[in-house]
Short mmCIF file of all heavy atoms in Angstrom, two decimals:
data_model
loop_
_atom_site.label_atom_id
_atom_site.label_comp_id
_atom_site.label_asym_id
_atom_site.label_seq_id
_atom_site.Cartn_x
_atom_site.Cartn_y
_atom_site.Cartn_z
N LEU A 171 1.54 43.15 16.67
CA LEU A 171 2.55 43.55 17.67
C LEU A 171 3.28 42.46 18.19
O LEU A 171 4.59 42.48 18.51
CB LEU A 171 1.86 44.42 18.80
CG LEU A 171 1.31 45.77 18.31
CD1 LEU A 171 0.60 46.45 19.51
CD2 LEU A 171 2.29 46.78 17.70
N ASN A 172 2.78 41.23 18.26
CA ASN A 172 3.49 40.05 18.78
C ASN A 172 4.30 39.47 17.73
O ASN A 172 5.20 38.58 18.16
CB ASN A 172 2.46 39.15 19.38
CG ASN A 172 2.00 39.55 20.79
OD1 ASN A 172 2.78 40.07 21.48
ND2 ASN A 172 0.73 39.22 21.09
N GLN A 173 4.13 39.84 16.55
CA GLN A 173 4.97 39.09 15.43
C GLN A 173 6.36 39.56 15.55
O GLN A 173 6.73 40.70 15.90
CB GLN A 173 4.49 39.46 14.04
CG GLN A 173 5.12 38.82 12.94
CD GLN A 173 5.17 37.34 13.15
OE1 GLN A 173 4.21 36.66 13.22
NE2 GLN A 173 6.38 36.79 12.93
N LYS A 174 7.35 38.64 15.25
CA LYS A 174 8.76 38.91 15.34
C LYS A 174 9.37 39.12 13.95
O LYS A 174 8.86 38.52 13.05
CB LYS A 174 9.57 37.82 16.04
CG LYS A 174 9.20 37.73 17.58
CD LYS A 174 9.96 36.65 18.25
CE LYS A 174 9.74 36.49 19.69
NZ LYS A 174 10.52 35.45 20.36
N ILE A 175 10.31 40.18 13.80
CA ILE A 175 10.99 40.39 12.58
C ILE A 175 12.41 40.50 12.79
O ILE A 175 12.90 40.75 13.95
CB ILE A 175 10.51 41.61 12.01
CG1 ILE A 175 10.84 42.84 12.96
CG2 ILE A 175 9.01 41.62 11.70
CD1 ILE A 175 10.57 44.22 12.32
N PRO A 176 13.29 40.30 11.70
CA PRO A 176 14.69 40.39 11.91
C PRO A 176 15.07 41.85 12.32
O PRO A 176 14.45 42.85 11.84
CB PRO A 176 15.29 40.07 10.57
CG PRO A 176 14.07 39.38 9.80
CD PRO A 176 12.87 39.79 10.42
N LEU A 177 16.09 41.94 13.17
CA LEU A 177 16.39 43.30 13.67
C LEU A 177 18.03 43.43 13.56
O LEU A 177 18.65 43.29 14.57
CB LEU A 177 15.89 43.58 15.10
CG LEU A 177 16.01 44.99 15.55
CD1 LEU A 177 15.11 45.84 14.75
CD2 LEU A 177 15.75 45.18 17.00
N PRO A 178 18.50 43.90 12.39
CA PRO A 178 19.95 44.18 12.32
C PRO A 178 20.25 45.39 13.20
O PRO A 178 19.37 46.05 13.76
CB PRO A 178 20.21 44.59 10.91
CG PRO A 178 18.88 44.07 10.22
CD PRO A 178 17.77 44.21 11.23
N THR A 179 21.52 45.70 13.36
CA THR A 179 21.96 46.84 14.13
C THR A 179 21.34 48.12 13.35
O THR A 179 21.05 48.02 12.22
CB THR A 179 23.36 46.97 14.20
OG1 THR A 179 23.95 47.19 12.89
CG2 THR A 179 24.01 45.74 14.91
N LEU A 180 21.25 49.17 14.16
CA LEU A 180 20.69 50.36 13.52
C LEU A 180 21.57 50.80 12.40
O LEU A 180 21.02 51.29 11.32
CB LEU A 180 20.61 51.48 14.54
CG LEU A 180 19.59 52.63 14.26
CD1 LEU A 180 18.21 52.07 14.00
CD2 LEU A 180 19.62 53.66 15.42
N GLU A 181 22.85 50.71 12.55
CA GLU A 181 23.73 50.99 11.36
C GLU A 181 23.46 50.21 10.12
O GLU A 181 23.46 50.67 9.00
CB GLU A 181 25.18 50.88 11.83
CG GLU A 181 26.26 51.25 10.74
CD GLU A 181 27.67 51.15 11.27
OE1 GLU A 181 27.85 50.71 12.35
OE2 GLU A 181 28.57 51.46 10.41
N GLU A 182 23.24 48.86 10.35
CA GLU A 182 22.99 47.96 9.19
C GLU A 182 21.56 48.25 8.62
O GLU A 182 21.34 48.20 7.45
CB GLU A 182 23.01 46.49 9.83
CG GLU A 182 24.41 46.08 10.07
CD GLU A 182 24.31 44.66 10.78
OE1 GLU A 182 23.41 44.42 11.61
OE2 GLU A 182 25.33 43.81 10.41
N GLN A 183 20.62 48.62 9.49
CA GLN A 183 19.38 48.98 8.94
C GLN A 183 19.48 50.22 8.00
O GLN A 183 18.82 50.24 6.94
CB GLN A 183 18.45 49.28 10.19
CG GLN A 183 17.90 48.19 11.02
CD GLN A 183 17.09 48.57 12.16
OE1 GLN A 183 16.10 49.45 12.12
NE2 GLN A 183 17.35 48.09 13.30
N ASN A 184 20.18 51.13 8.52
CA ASN A 184 20.27 52.50 7.74
C ASN A 184 20.89 52.15 6.36
O ASN A 184 20.51 52.74 5.32
CB ASN A 184 21.12 53.44 8.49
CG ASN A 184 20.51 53.87 9.86
OD1 ASN A 184 19.27 53.80 9.89
ND2 ASN A 184 21.18 54.47 10.74
N GLN A 185 21.88 51.26 6.35
CA GLN A 185 22.58 50.97 5.12
C GLN A 185 21.61 50.22 4.22
O GLN A 185 21.62 50.45 2.93
CB GLN A 185 23.79 50.15 5.33
CG GLN A 185 24.59 49.77 4.10
CD GLN A 185 25.17 51.08 3.40
OE1 GLN A 185 25.78 51.95 4.13
NE2 GLN A 185 24.94 51.29 2.21
N ILE A 186 20.81 49.23 4.69
CA ILE A 186 19.84 48.49 3.86
C ILE A 186 18.78 49.47 3.30
O ILE A 186 18.48 49.33 2.20
CB ILE A 186 19.16 47.49 4.70
CG1 ILE A 186 20.22 46.29 5.07
CG2 ILE A 186 17.98 46.81 4.05
CD1 ILE A 186 19.72 45.32 6.12
N VAL A 187 18.25 50.35 4.19
CA VAL A 187 17.33 51.39 3.68
C VAL A 187 17.94 52.27 2.64
O VAL A 187 17.30 52.60 1.64
CB VAL A 187 16.79 52.23 4.89
CG1 VAL A 187 16.00 53.42 4.44
CG2 VAL A 187 15.94 51.42 5.81
N TYR A 188 19.22 52.77 2.84
CA TYR A 188 19.92 53.64 1.86
C TYR A 188 19.99 52.80 0.51
O TYR A 188 19.73 53.47 -0.56
CB TYR A 188 21.24 53.94 2.28
CG TYR A 188 22.12 54.71 1.27
CD1 TYR A 188 21.86 56.12 1.13
CD2 TYR A 188 22.97 54.09 0.45
CE1 TYR A 188 22.65 56.74 0.14
CE2 TYR A 188 23.64 54.73 -0.51
CZ TYR A 188 23.50 56.14 -0.66
OH TYR A 188 24.25 56.70 -1.57
N ASN A 189 20.43 51.67 0.58
CA ASN A 189 20.68 50.91 -0.65
C ASN A 189 19.29 50.81 -1.53
O ASN A 189 19.31 50.83 -2.73
CB ASN A 189 21.15 49.45 -0.43
CG ASN A 189 22.58 49.54 0.08
OD1 ASN A 189 23.27 50.53 -0.07
ND2 ASN A 189 23.08 48.39 0.80
N TYR A 190 18.18 50.46 -0.63
CA TYR A 190 16.84 50.34 -1.31
C TYR A 190 16.39 51.66 -1.95
O TYR A 190 16.17 51.74 -3.14
CB TYR A 190 15.86 49.90 -0.21
CG TYR A 190 14.42 49.79 -0.75
CD1 TYR A 190 14.11 48.72 -1.37
CD2 TYR A 190 13.69 50.98 -0.71
CE1 TYR A 190 12.70 48.63 -1.85
CE2 TYR A 190 12.24 50.88 -1.13
CZ TYR A 190 11.90 49.68 -1.74
OH TYR A 190 10.62 49.67 -2.17
N PHE A 191 16.40 52.70 -1.20
CA PHE A 191 15.93 54.01 -1.75
C PHE A 191 16.87 54.62 -2.72
O PHE A 191 16.43 55.41 -3.62
CB PHE A 191 15.68 55.00 -0.58
CG PHE A 191 14.37 54.67 0.02
CD1 PHE A 191 14.35 54.07 1.28
CD2 PHE A 191 13.24 54.90 -0.54
CE1 PHE A 191 13.19 53.75 1.94
CE2 PHE A 191 11.91 54.69 0.10
CZ PHE A 191 11.95 54.05 1.34
N ASP A 192 18.17 54.27 -2.81
CA ASP A 192 19.16 54.82 -3.80
C ASP A 192 18.53 54.27 -5.18
O ASP A 192 18.51 55.05 -6.13
CB ASP A 192 20.41 54.30 -3.55
CG ASP A 192 21.48 54.73 -4.61
OD1 ASP A 192 21.47 55.95 -4.94
OD2 ASP A 192 22.23 53.99 -5.17
N LYS A 193 18.16 53.01 -5.26
CA LYS A 193 17.65 52.44 -6.49
C LYS A 193 16.37 53.00 -6.82
O LYS A 193 15.95 53.20 -7.96
CB LYS A 193 17.75 50.95 -6.45
CG LYS A 193 19.09 50.27 -6.50
CD LYS A 193 19.04 48.85 -6.40
CE LYS A 193 20.46 48.27 -6.55
NZ LYS A 193 21.22 48.62 -5.29
N ILE A 194 15.41 53.14 -5.72
CA ILE A 194 14.13 53.63 -6.00
C ILE A 194 14.14 55.06 -6.48
O ILE A 194 13.32 55.38 -7.40
CB ILE A 194 13.28 53.55 -4.69
CG1 ILE A 194 13.05 51.96 -4.34
CG2 ILE A 194 11.93 54.28 -4.76
CD1 ILE A 194 12.25 51.33 -5.31
N ASN A 195 15.01 55.80 -5.98
CA ASN A 195 15.04 57.22 -6.40
C ASN A 195 15.69 57.33 -7.89
O ASN A 195 15.21 58.15 -8.72
CB ASN A 195 16.07 58.11 -5.47
CG ASN A 195 15.48 58.32 -4.15
OD1 ASN A 195 14.21 58.17 -3.96
ND2 ASN A 195 16.32 58.42 -3.06
N GLN A 196 16.47 56.46 -8.24
CA GLN A 196 17.02 56.36 -9.63
C GLN A 196 15.90 55.92 -10.56
O GLN A 196 15.67 56.54 -11.64
CB GLN A 196 18.16 55.37 -9.72
CG GLN A 196 19.51 55.79 -9.05
CD GLN A 196 20.49 54.70 -9.35
OE1 GLN A 196 20.84 54.35 -10.43
NE2 GLN A 196 21.18 54.20 -8.24
N ALA A 197 15.06 54.95 -10.03
CA ALA A 197 13.95 54.52 -10.85
C ALA A 197 12.89 55.66 -11.07
O ALA A 197 12.34 55.85 -12.13
CB ALA A 197 13.26 53.31 -10.20
N GLN A 198 12.62 56.44 -9.96
CA GLN A 198 11.68 57.49 -10.04
C GLN A 198 12.17 58.61 -11.03
O GLN A 198 11.40 59.25 -11.74
CB GLN A 198 11.40 58.07 -8.77
CG GLN A 198 10.58 57.14 -7.85
CD GLN A 198 10.43 57.63 -6.36
OE1 GLN A 198 11.19 58.62 -5.96
NE2 GLN A 198 9.45 57.03 -5.68
#
Side-chain angles (χ1 to χ4, degrees):
L171 293 174
N172 281 326
Q173 182 57 50
K174 291 181 178 179
I175 62 172
L177 192 67
T179 65
L180 202 53
E181 183 179 0
E182 289 171 322
Q183 292 176 44
N184 293 340
Q185 186 61 52
I186 292 170
V187 168
Y188 173 82
N189 292 341
Y190 176 86
F191 281 104
D192 181 51
K193 291 182 178 61
I194 292 298
N195 291 336
Q196 290 180 55
Q198 289 175 344

